[in-house]
Amino acid sequence: GAGVSQTPSNKVTEKGKYVELRCDPISGHTALYWYRQSLGQGPEFLIYFQGTGAADDSGLPNDRFFAVRPEGSVSTLKIQRTERGDSAVYLCASSLKPTGTSPSEQFFGPGTRLTVL
Amino acid sequence: AQSVTQLDSHVSVSEGTPVLLRCNYSSSYSPSLFWYVQHPNKGLQLLLKYTSAATLVKGINGFEAEFKKSETSFHLTKPSAHMSDAAEYFCVVKTSGTYKYIFGTGTRLKVLA
C-alpha cells in the first residue's frame, strides 16, 4: 500500500513569508509525528497527534510554528514569518496507536526540504 | 530527561568485516530504544527496537543490538558488513509514558570494497 507522503518535496521561500507543509499518513494510522532535521543532525521531535488532537506539542520551537490535523488524517505544519534558521528537512511519520509500553513502528515520509532565503 | 549519544559520527569498515555502532542513552524511566537507518534520498527505516522484552534484539538485514542497563548502552552490531549497509544510522530513545522520540546525531557508516 501507499506509504507516508509529503508535499511539496522542496519549498524555497523568502524570509518573513508564510509556508504550509502537508503530510498524508498511511491509511488507518491514528498517530502522526512531525520532526525537523537540520543538516548533519538527527531528526528533532516537534509535535505528536493522536487522532485530531495534539497530544504533545512540546517540541515546537516557538509560536511561529503551528500544526493541525482537523479530520484525524492529513496534517499541515504551518510556519509564520519564516526565518533563515527554519531551513531544514521537515519529516512526517505515522503509526498505529501506541499501546501501553510498546510503541508502534513509525513509518517516515520522504520529507519536505525547506529553504528560507 | 531523555537523551541519546552516538559516540562516533563516522565509521568505516571493510566489506565482510564486523560492524559496531555505539549508542549510550539517558532516560529517567523504562526506555524504549530503536535503531533507524537512512539511505541517501530515502526515508528513515526501522532496523530494530527494544521494549523491555529480550535484551538482545534482532532486526532486519542481519543487524542486532543488545540493551545493557548497567552500561546504559544499546550498541548496534552486524557480523559481516555489506556494501548496501552504507548509510546513516540513528539511535533513538523514548521514555515510557511519553510520546517524544529523541534521536541521536547519527553515525555515517562507510563500507569499503
Side-chain angles (χ1 to χ4, degrees):
Chain A
V4 178
S5 63
Q6 293 186 245
T7 54
S9 55
N10 280 283
K11 175 72 177 176
V12 180
T13 190
E14 294 179 343
K15 180 174 177 294
K17 299 288 189 183
Y18 167 84
V19 296
E20 289 189 353
L21 311 179
R22 177 186 167 109
C23 172
D24 277 90
I26 292 171
S27 178
H29 280 188
T30 58
L32 186 145
Y33 307 78
W34 282 100
Y35 294 86
R36 176 170 69 176
Q37 187 173 20
S38 301
L39 196 62
Q41 300 295 316
E44 173 192 9
F45 170 87
L46 295 178
I47 187 169
Y48 161 68
F49 285 92
Q50 180 53 49
T52 59
D56 186 343
D57 64 359
S58 62
L60 295 177
N62 51 59
D63 61 5
R64 295 188 297 106
F65 288 74
F66 189 70
V68 296
R69 195 185 184 200
E71 297 178 358
S73 178
V74 170
S75 176
T76 305
L77 178 66
K78 309 181 181 195
I79 310 174
Q80 299 177 320
R81 305 184 303 280
T82 51
E83 300 177 356
R84 292 195 179 87
D86 298 335
S87 296
V89 176
Y90 288 82
L91 296 168
C92 175
S94 71
S95 76
L96 296 171
K97 182 178 180 181
T99 58
T101 58
S102 181
S104 298
E105 178 179 352
Q106 293 185 54
F107 293 83
F108 282 82
T112 294
R113 183 175 298 277
L114 174 67
T115 302
V116 182
L117 301 176
Chain B
Q2 309 166 81
S3 67
V4 63
T5 302
Q6 291 185 244
L7 297 158
D8 307 293
S9 58
H10 293 81
V11 170
S12 290
V13 300
S14 297
E15 191 176 21
T17 64
V19 175
L20 170 64
L21 305 183
R22 298 182 295 164
C23 172
N24 285 97
Y25 70 91
S26 171
S27 178
S28 302
Y29 303 105
S30 301
S32 295
L33 294 155
F34 311 79
W35 277 97
Y36 278 84
V37 61
Q38 189 173 38
H39 289 275
N41 301 316
K42 291 195 174 181
L44 284 154
Q45 181 185 18
L46 180 68
L47 277 178
L48 50 81
K49 69 178 182 182
Y50 165 79
T51 56
S52 78
T55 56
L56 183 61
V57 182
K58 294 188 184 298
I60 62 171
N61 300 334
F63 284 95
E64 62 181 41
E66 186 171 8
F67 172 71
K68 291 187 176 180
K69 187 174 181 179
S70 60
E71 298 176 11
T72 60
S73 69
F74 190 58
H75 301 333
L76 181 71
T77 60
K78 182 173 180 177
S80 176
H82 191 273
M83 296 298 288
S84 61
D85 294 329
E88 185 96 25
Y89 291 79
F90 294 97
C91 182
V92 184
V93 65
K94 175 192 171 303
T95 297
S96 178
T98 74
Y99 304 106
K100 208 179 233 190
Y101 290 73
I102 306 298
F103 281 71
T105 52
T107 297
R108 184 165 296 277
L109 177 65
K110 188 173 181 179
V111 182
L112 307 170

